[in-house]
Amino acid sequence: MQRFWTHGYHATSMDDLVKATGVSRGSIYADFEGKRDLFLCCLSRYQDEVVTPAFAQVEQADAGLETIEAYLLFQLSHLDDDRLPGPGCLVANTMTELGPHDRDIHDAVNAHNVRLQNGFYQVLKRANKSTSPLSPDQLGELAVFLTMSVQGLWSFSRSAESVEPLRQYARTLIDLVKSRLQ
Amino acid sequence: MQRFWTHGYHATSMDDLVKATGVSRGSIYADFEGKRDLFLCCLSRYQDEVVTPAFAQVEQADAGLETIEAYLLFQLSHLDDDRLPGPGCLVANTMTELGPHDRDIHDAVNAHNVRLQNGFYQVLKRANKSTSPLSPDQLGELAVFLTMSVQGLWSFSRSAESVEPLRQYARTLIDLVKSRLQ
DNA sequence: CCAATACAAGAACGATCATTCCAAAACTGT
DNA sequence: ACAGTTTTGGAATGATCGTTCTTGTATTGG
């Protein structure tokens, strides 16, 4: 999974995976139908092992906008300036590399994005207790906005040489969304 | 160039390029040192033929925030619902695919981003005529924010099934930045 | 202990890869 | 018209690719 995450699907060979995992070629093919099937399983595993532990706080019943910011800053805390460029996000990387060309992968990516949107939407709904609240449609649009903005953050981390602009982006994003809700 | 744009570097073979361009293999190698050199030239040509004609309006001396919005909506106007998922942006795609692994490509991507940031910065400076203006640092941060946000837009267009959420994102982005400047 | 079965390691396979090479065609100069 | 040079088209090359296959080892049951 790490190898797919850092290098992408096409640039990762089965040899690379055999070496990186220490698992024999025969065993891989015993367990998966082929490279693509293995990749789909890695996407699924990434969701369970990486996304869920991190995003769960946003999906909590009491999560606020600060929780979204904390989620982003926590993800960025894995990077410091000598760990850049970072691997980004496997799903985000995959959206770019394979999203246009593979239906099943597109669907997996889409499911991930819907999950993020729903999490953000719930937070926005809670945060929408103001004197002039936004409509549900407007909140939905803001949730989509957040989901797409976060995608930009991961893409940039693939090329970034310093982590501070990434952090600043997260803070600015949350600030702007906050001011939209007031 | 189109093939690299839609499929990425690693998923595009020299055979693909020979077929797509109608140029013989020998001619390609006569003009370029290899696949990577050809790709670097495509990045450069993309800058001249795609980015410059589109982004020039943002770099105009009288460009405003509406110009940034018009730039984004114009880029999106090439897509309608049966032309999705779109190719995204060659530079943005490359940032994700190759940015972490190739120094020269990283530098080309970085130069593109700096260009976008500078264009956005100038617009923001002009738009910053309010009763409580933002500092140059704050404007710089907003310009970086815009650059990274636009990256999210192109990545999403690689997976999108409808163009309206992409348009809405562009409008929301400009609205949020406007409200930050007031 | 032996035979049958299951599993692991990695060689082998045919296809595809990026690049080089070569023969034929086209062009240029005398 | 002819010889020399350049360009073109695509075959050839050696490496790498994803996948299958084979051999050796381990395990299980009689």
Side-chain angles (χ1 to χ4, degrees):
Chain A
M1 186 170 86
Q2 283 290 336
R3 184 74 196 199
F4 278 138
W5 192 353
T6 55
H7 288 78
Y9 180 79
H10 287 296
T12 299
S13 68
M14 295 307 288
D15 251 16
D16 293 333
L17 293 172
V18 167
K19 283 178 200 147
T21 59
V23 176
S24 82
R25 194 173 294 274
S27 298
I28 295 181
Y29 282 99
D31 292 337
F32 305 102
E33 282 185 22
K35 186 180 179 183
R36 181 173 167 277
D37 186 41
L38 172 60
F39 188 76
L40 279 164
C41 286
C42 287
L43 275 184
S44 183
R45 202 166 128 204
Y46 180 82
Q47 200 60 222
D48 295 340
E49 297 186 5
V50 178
V51 177
T52 294
F55 200 65
Q57 60 183 318
V58 177
E59 293 171 319
Q60 292 267 69
D62 60 342
L65 283 165
E66 311 77 39
T67 319
I68 298 176
E69 187 176 346
Y71 156 68
L72 296 176
L73 294 178
F74 176 72
Q75 294 294 90
L76 292 174
S77 70
H78 299 306
L79 312 174
D80 41 47
D81 286 1
D82 58 337
R83 246 187 282 212
L84 287 171
C89 157
L90 179 60
V91 179
N93 304 343
T94 302
M95 187 190 309
T96 298
E97 189 188 358
L98 296 165
H101 310 300
D102 187 307
R103 188 77 235 172
D104 291 338
I105 286 175
H106 169 271
D107 290 347
V109 165
N110 204 51
H112 171 79
N113 290 330
V114 167
R115 181 185 184 178
L116 290 201
Q117 277 173 45
N118 289 339
F120 294 146
Y121 182 80
Q122 297 304 322
V123 168
L124 292 170
K125 210 165 56 162
R126 272 189 292 274
N128 196 24
K129 293 168 183 165
S130 59
T131 53
S132 50
L134 300 188
S135 71
D137 277 358
Q138 286 170 313
L139 291 180
E141 281 162 10
L142 255 193
V144 172
F145 181 83
L146 274 165
T147 308
M148 288 165 77
S149 295
V150 164
Q151 168 72 6
L153 181 61
W154 305 137
S155 294
F156 252 81
S157 72
R158 295 280 289 181
S159 223
E161 288 169 326
S162 161
V163 71
E164 189 48 38
L166 303 175
R167 284 203 197 100
Q168 185 57 53
Y169 178 83
R171 290 192 290 259
T172 304
L173 177 61
I174 300 302
D175 279 349
L176 289 177
V177 171
K178 264 182 191 167
S179 66
R180 168 52 58 87
L181 291 174
Q182 282 145 21
Chain B
M1 184 169 87
Q2 283 289 335
R3 183 74 195 198
F4 278 138
W5 191 354
T6 54
H7 288 79
Y9 179 80
H10 287 296
T12 300
S13 68
M14 295 306 289
D15 252 14
D16 292 333
L17 294 172
V18 168
K19 281 177 203 153
T21 60
V23 176
S24 79
R25 194 174 297 273
S27 298
I28 293 180
Y29 282 98
D31 290 340
F32 305 101
E33 282 187 24
K35 186 182 181 183
R36 181 173 165 278
D37 188 40
L38 170 61
F39 188 76
L40 280 165
C41 287
C42 287
L43 275 183
S44 183
R45 202 166 127 204
Y46 180 81
Q47 200 62 224
D48 295 341
E49 296 186 7
V50 178
V51 177
T52 293
F55 199 65
Q57 60 183 318
V58 176
E59 290 170 320
Q60 293 268 67
D62 59 343
L65 283 164
E66 311 76 40
T67 319
I68 297 179
E69 188 176 345
Y71 156 69
L72 295 175
L73 295 177
F74 177 72
Q75 294 294 91
L76 293 174
S77 71
H78 299 306
L79 311 174
D80 41 45
D81 286 0
D82 58 337
R83 244 186 283 208
L84 285 172
C89 158
L90 179 60
V91 179
N93 305 343
T94 302
M95 187 188 310
T96 299
E97 188 190 0
L98 296 165
H101 310 300
D102 187 304
R103 188 76 233 174
D104 291 338
I105 286 175
H106 169 273
D107 289 348
V109 166
N110 204 52
H112 170 80
N113 290 329
V114 167
R115 180 184 184 179
L116 291 200
Q117 276 173 47
N118 288 338
F120 293 146
Y121 182 81
Q122 297 304 322
V123 170
L124 292 169
K125 209 165 56 162
R126 274 191 291 275
N128 194 25
K129 293 170 185 165
S130 61
T131 53
S132 52
L134 300 188
S135 70
D137 278 358
Q138 285 170 314
L139 291 180
E141 282 164 10
L142 256 192
V144 172
F145 180 83
L146 274 166
T147 307
M148 288 165 78
S149 296
V150 164
Q151 167 73 5
L153 180 61
W154 305 137
S155 294
F156 252 82
S157 72
R158 296 276 292 180
S159 223
E161 289 171 327
S162 162
V163 71
E164 189 47 37
L166 303 175
R167 283 201 198 104
Q168 185 57 53
Y169 179 84
R171 290 194 290 259
T172 304
L173 177 61
I174 300 299
D175 279 350
L176 289 177
V177 170
K178 262 182 193 167
S179 66
R180 167 53 57 92
L181 289 173
Q182 283 146 16

